[in-house]
Each structure stands twice: as C-alpha cells, then as structure tokens.
Amino acid sequence: MESIYSLDIEMLQEYFLSNNQKKFHAEQLFEWLYQKKISTFSEITNLKKDVIKQLEQDFSIEPLEIVKVEKDTDVCKYLFKLSDNEHIEAVLMKHDYGNSICISSQVGCNMGCCFCESGRRKKVRNLKTGEMVLQILQVEKDIKERISHVVIMGIGEPFDNYENIIKLLKIINYAKGLAIGSRHITVSTCGIIPKIEEFMNFKLQVNLAISLHAPNDKIRSQIMPINKVYPIKDLMKVLKKYQEKTGRRLTFEYILLDGINDRAKDAEELSKLIKDMNAYVNLIPYNTTENIQFHRSKTIQIMKFYDILKKNKIQVTIRREFGGKISAACGQLRSKEECK
Ligand code: SAH
C-alpha cells in the first residue's frame, strides 16, 4: 500500500476530488500529518468517519522503524529499517541556528566515488518519497523539536531519484507540511547534467550543491567515475545556465585528499575554473573510511588551500566537522548491520 507521506498537496487534492470529496480536505490532512503528527488516521477529528475509513483503506501511515540512535556531541545518527528490511541512515546536527538533518535518498548508490563509504554498496533501490519525508518527521518527533534545515547529502544520489526528490521538496516546503523554507533546503549532486537542466525549471528556490572535488578532468575522473559521462567543461556550462536562469548561488563541495587534489596548483586551477560564478567552495576535510587508498590532507595544507582561494577572491569555508566518532560524517554513512 502506498504511504500517505508520499503524496504532495496536489496529489492529495486530486485524490479527494476523485472520491467526490472536498478539495480542502487535503490541507486539513496535511495539518494532521505534519503539524499535529498523528500516528493513526483515526485521530483525525474534523473529517467524516467514512472519509477516514477510505483513507485507511487506500494508504498506509506506518512509520519507519528506528533501529538504533547513536549520539555524539551535537550530532545524532539514526538507523532506520524499511519495510523490505533494508536499512538507511540519517544524521541530525544541532547548530546554533537550528536543527539540521542530513537524509538519504537511495539504498546504496551507483555513482562509485572512490573515497565514499556510502557508495560501496551498489544501488538496491530508490527511496520512496514517504521514506524520505519520514526520516525528517520521525527525528522531529524523537527530539520533540522542530527541524529547520534539510540537506540531501546522505546515502544515494538524489538526482538518480529525481521524481521522488521533487515530491519530497514540495511536501517539506509546503506551509501546512513541514514548512521548511526553500533556502534552508540543499540538494547535493555529483553532477548529473540532464537533471540539473530539469532542476533549473523547478519553482522552489532550493539550494544546489555540486560535489566537484577536483579542478580538472584528469583528477576528477580518477576519483569520480561520473566525470567520464559528464566532464567538467559540460558541467560548468550547465551550471552557468542554471545560474543565469535562477540567479541562485551555488555551493561547490571539495574534499581534500592528501596529495591528490590538495596541492597549491590545484587551488589555483580551481580558482580559475569558478572565478566568474556566484558560488562558494565548501572545503571538506576527508573523513577516513575503510578505504586506505586516501588520506586526509594535513591541516597546514588545508589552510594553504583555503588561503589561495581567498587570495583569488573565491568565497570559501571549511566544513565544520560532525560525527566522526560515530561514523556519521560525510561519506561514512553505511549501515554496518547490512554489510556484514
Ligand atoms: N551523491 C550526492 C549526495 C551525497 S553528498 C553527491 O555526491 O553530492 C555526500 C557528500 O559527502 C559529497 O560531497 C561527498 O562527495 C562527500 N563525501 C563522500 N565521502 C567523503 C569522505 N570520506 N569524507 C568527506 N566527505 C565525503
């Protein structure tokens, strides 16, 4: 049965209309699901009994099973079990500006980036919209606090699950849904060009982050196989078009890997590559994984890289590190349970 959390407002309106019910029931239902956070349809008091009965017949309202919660200072990793016994993870981070959650978009991932633990298991399937919505909703319920920021940077490639991501964005942004401001939502992609093309026509002003990680094709193809399909030149071209169309600032994520992409000349080349763009670079110190091929850049090298970008007037930040101790940091998500 389809989860009620997979439907955006228009779909629910259509559902009620096609059942000869009032369209505004959709908004009422959204309030019950996302603001009052009911766990059964029978808790609804302002819909007629037969409408509720119909909902019970047509949709599931089952939560995801929370299997494990691991806590570290200011960060919590949630392990969820899905109805087909697959596992996914989400990470909650407490910032001074509010609670932010990093959610997964697929079971496994096909992008094969060499440095990423999350991608070591091939894609098993896309997450349904409801399974992504529920990661947020259930963590909100668990901490009894509002989540104000969402990043789609957990396991999976969101643009390889495009339709469901679009529905997710509509649901969590909707005022009667989770009401998360579009500027507080970030989708991160390794650079799937046709989907970036599509995304520039999406009406919500959601942030886009690009996992760039290298200043040229030689290095990028070595560590990110997707670059062989969508090389840097084409990627930059579509990103410029994206910016012309949306006027939105882009984020480039750049992992610093010792001796591979962290040299002074890499920083210079990166500066040149993006100098005309309204973008900022988020430098990510590499988090160790089971892959011994890569090492974290030395702190002095990270600072040098940062300084070169600054000198070249590139906006740059170094990502604050979260969750290393509980393997909840970028690229470390992987449910050990299922990988044994
Ligand atoms: N597939 C999407 C979403 C995943 S985002 C994408 O590639 O953007 C996860 C982010 O963490 C990406 O920028 C990814 O490159 C980065 N990452 C992966 N492994 C990492 C590691 N070991 N250390 C630090 N960052 C890593």
Side-chain angles (χ1 to χ4, degrees), residues 115-116 153-154 156-157 188-189 211 213 253 255 286-287 289 330-331:
F115 45 80
C116 182
M153 293 190 188
E157 167 51 48
S188 179
T189 177
S211 290
H213 305 323
E253 295 158 276
I255 300 185
Y286 172 66
N287 296 308
T289 65
C330 301

Side-chain angles (χ1 to χ4, degrees), residues 102-103 105-106 109 111 113-118 152-159 187-191 209-213 224 253-257 284-289 294 296 319 329-332:
C102 172
I103 61 166
S105 57
Q106 297 179 318
C109 179
M111 299 303 122
C113 301
C114 300
F115 45 80
C116 182
E117 194 70 21
S118 308
I152 307 173
M153 293 190 188
I155 303 169
E157 167 51 48
F159 279 180
V187 180
S188 179
T189 177
C190 62
I210 306 289
S211 290
L212 187 62
H213 305 323
M224 298 177 72
E253 295 158 276
Y254 196 104
I255 300 185
L256 290 163
L257 302 165
I284 313 175
Y286 172 66
N287 296 308
T288 44
T289 65
F294 298 107
R296 170 190 280 252
R319 181 171 290 178
C330 301
Q332 291 182 322

Side-chain angles (χ1 to χ4, degrees), residues 216-240:
N216 59 44
D217 285 329
K218 184 157 178 264
I219 304 177
R220 197 165 192 261
S221 293
Q222 239 172 45
I223 55 178
M224 298 177 72
I226 192 74
N227 194 67
K228 293 176 193 150
V229 188
Y230 303 119
I232 292 191
K233 195 163 120 268
D234 300 348
L235 181 59
M236 289 301 153
K237 204 159 129 201
V238 77
L239 291 176
K240 282 189 182 145

Side-chain angles (χ1 to χ4, degrees), residues 151-336:
V151 299
I152 307 173
M153 293 190 188
I155 303 169
E157 167 51 48
F159 279 180
D160 186 32
N161 185 11
Y162 190 80
E163 300 299 315
N164 290 342
I165 291 289
I166 293 296
K167 267 201 287 162
L168 165 82
L169 297 175
K170 287 189 197 159
I171 293 171
I172 64 178
N173 174 254
Y174 192 64
K176 302 239 160 101
L178 290 171
I180 298 171
S182 56
R183 291 201 164 76
H184 289 184
I185 302 173
T186 303
V187 180
S188 179
T189 177
C190 62
I192 301 190
I193 290 179
K195 297 299 165 193
I196 300 175
E197 291 263 10
E198 257 184 270
F199 198 59
M200 63 180 94
N201 296 316
F202 182 52
K203 58 183 182 195
L204 299 180
Q205 296 276 310
V206 174
N207 302 310
L208 183 63
I210 306 289
S211 290
L212 187 62
H213 305 323
N216 59 44
D217 285 329
K218 184 157 178 264
I219 304 177
R220 197 165 192 261
S221 293
Q222 239 172 45
I223 55 178
M224 298 177 72
I226 192 74
N227 194 67
K228 293 176 193 150
V229 188
Y230 303 119
I232 292 191
K233 195 163 120 268
D234 300 348
L235 181 59
M236 289 301 153
K237 204 159 129 201
V238 77
L239 291 176
K240 282 189 182 145
K241 194 162 147 204
Y242 170 92
Q243 289 211 303
E244 271 160 31
K245 182 124 199 188
T246 64
R248 287 177 236 162
R249 185 170 79 152
L250 283 169
T251 304
F252 286 110
E253 295 158 276
Y254 196 104
I255 300 185
L256 290 163
L257 302 165
D258 186 33
I260 293 179
N261 63 358
D262 69 341
R263 299 157 301 181
K265 64 174 182 186
D266 300 324
E268 295 288 357
E269 198 175 357
L270 176 64
S271 309
K272 239 187 234 154
L273 183 69
I274 63 170
K275 72 172 186 322
D276 297 327
M277 298 179 89
N278 175 19
Y280 87 98
V281 177
N282 195 202
L283 295 176
I284 313 175
Y286 172 66
N287 296 308
T288 44
T289 65
E290 280 167 29
N291 191 338
I292 45 161
Q293 193 190 338
F294 298 107
H295 302 280
R296 170 190 280 252
S297 302
K298 298 181 187 61
T299 307
I300 182 153
Q301 201 54 38
I302 298 177
M303 293 321 295
K304 237 192 209 162
F305 202 95
Y306 175 90
D307 287 342
I308 294 175
L309 294 186
K310 274 267 171 206
K311 177 198 83 187
N312 291 331
K313 308 223 168 16
I314 304 288
Q315 299 178 58
V316 55
T317 51
I318 300 178
R319 181 171 290 178
R320 184 179 154 198
E321 297 199 66
F322 267 113
K325 270 191 232 148
I326 55 173
S327 289
C330 301
Q332 291 182 322
L333 294 186
R334 183 167 80 112
S335 58
K336 299 220 165 78

Side-chain angles (χ1 to χ4, degrees), residues 76-89:
C76 251
K77 181 165 75 165
Y78 287 80
L79 178 69
F80 294 101
K81 186 155 131 189
L82 309 175
S83 57
D84 56 358
N85 288 332
E86 292 292 348
H87 292 79
I88 48 159
E89 293 175 306

